[in-house]
Amino acid sequence: MKDLRDWISLLEQEGELVRVSAEVDPHLEVTEIVGRTIRAGGPALLFEKPKGSQHPLLINQFGTERRMCLAFGVDSLDDVAAKLADVLEMQPPEGIAAKVRGLKTLKSIADSRPKTVRSGACQEVVLTGDDVDLSLLPVQTCWPHDAAPFITLPAVITHDPRNGNRNVGMYRLQVLGPRSTAMHWQIHKDGRADYLFSDGKLAVAVALGLDPISAYSASAPLPKHIDELMVAGFLRGEPVELVKGVSVDIEVPAHAEIVLEGYVEQGDVTSEGPFGDHTGFYTPAELFPVFHVTAMTMRRDAIYPSIVVGKPPQEDAWLGKATERIFLPAVKMTVPEIVDYDLPVAGAFHNLTIVSIRKAFPGHARKVMHAIWGLGMLSLTKGIVVVDEHVDVHDYEQVMFYVGANVDPKRDILISEGPTDHLDHAPTLQFFGGKIGIDATAKSPAEGAREWPEELEMTAEVKALVDRRWAEYGIASAPVAGNAEIGQSSRRLLRR
Ligand SMILES: Cc1cc2nc3c(=O)[nH]c(=O)nc-3n(C[C@H](O)[C@H](O)[C@H](O)COP(=O)(O)O)c2cc1C
């Protein structure tokens, strides 16, 4: 898919999009409609007549697992992870077949770099200077006490002033006036680092309305030196096309619906917020840089993309789940004893991590806790539950069983401290607070436990016998294979 329009066509073909022709107010009304739609597992919505704007508003494009898989063109998000794992785990090939496969993988990486083109649909309409007017867009005021309308689904592009490396991040923009917004670069984010390394003005471009993989990539917590648009090209299987900005020295996605170009400047900050956040609370007002918009370019009839965050589950649940799945191979590269992990949506992603490990030595669970508290954005997680490899981390009932059954709180709880999420209101200090690790693995005497008892398990022979004879018993409604149906509690939670 090269752009948002291809994506909208696919959603329509798949019965995953509803066009709303009634006039609807981007001030609060859209939020309430989308909230109800998400809780019902409903479709993407294209509001054709947002009140006060000529531009349709697309929302809930990422709101279900099925749509997220459609976006990536896969049956399961683990398939995306497998594609990345192939690259991460590349070994010197042995034999002709392995060499050919290796070369193909290398070529697909080389072909993923963004490609510069001479012109782009995103510049069909060009507004500069006093003609720039953000009030043309149907920007949502999402929650009753939000300070202003907020642009919530942007891809913000900057370059590291030290080496020119590109960064693309999803950072909300509070509309301050027709030609300026606040730039919500949180303290741990790469966009903010580019800003801090600049010694005067920093050029910024904001792309709105991209193909779904490029839009997703802006939210992906990639290491600073990795170009999100290159990863988007790799996952799309075709490079992202870029065109020169009209007023800044930044290349912008040629097929974007809307592009805002401009700059931020050292010392030029404003009060940003309150904003109804993904924590389920309002984040209070804080100082953030002002983004001055020098040009606004658009496609004719540009479609404006939006998203609402709030008490989970919301649309961003599946952006987060995509990240959880896609980054599993990278997490395993660093901490190979990790089998799987789950960031519960209800824990707003940073609050809780459940991780299963192949335990090999005393204290292993604690080693993994420390590793996670040192790993990229996972370092911000407040609570970690470690279980043994046979436990399904996505099955919260199972995890709760082992937390209840295997934990001696005096022996198995690690209290630590470290950096916390910028938006977390619970720690006594902003940015720094307590951490809890719960070791719910089976313990050995070397860890101070008594002889560990044997866990209940039916024999394979009896299970096979009951499977074979099930029809004879006449208990049609019960699940055939033990607890298999229960093992999807995280999915159930999302689908409510
Ligand atoms: C819908 C949505 C909105 C987000 N808003 C912000 C935001 O306002 N500020 C921020 O720092 N991160 C925000 N994030 C998280 C960042 O996009 C994410 O951490 C990303 O990895 C940042 O890119 P970076 O690693 O290049 O800094 C948001 C994520 C999503 C899915």
Side-chain angles (χ1 to χ4, degrees), residues 147-168:
F150 283 79
I151 297 172
T152 50
L153 202 63
V156 177
I157 308 170
T158 49
H159 288 269
D160 186 326
R162 297 166 306 168
N163 52 27
N165 285 352
R166 177 173 27 236
N167 183 66
V168 188

Side-chain angles (χ1 to χ4, degrees), residues 287-302:
L287 292 180
F288 280 94
V290 179
F291 170 44
H292 297 277
V293 185
T294 48
M296 178 171 169
T297 76
M298 291 186 273
R299 295 172 73 130
R300 275 185 283 280
D301 312 320

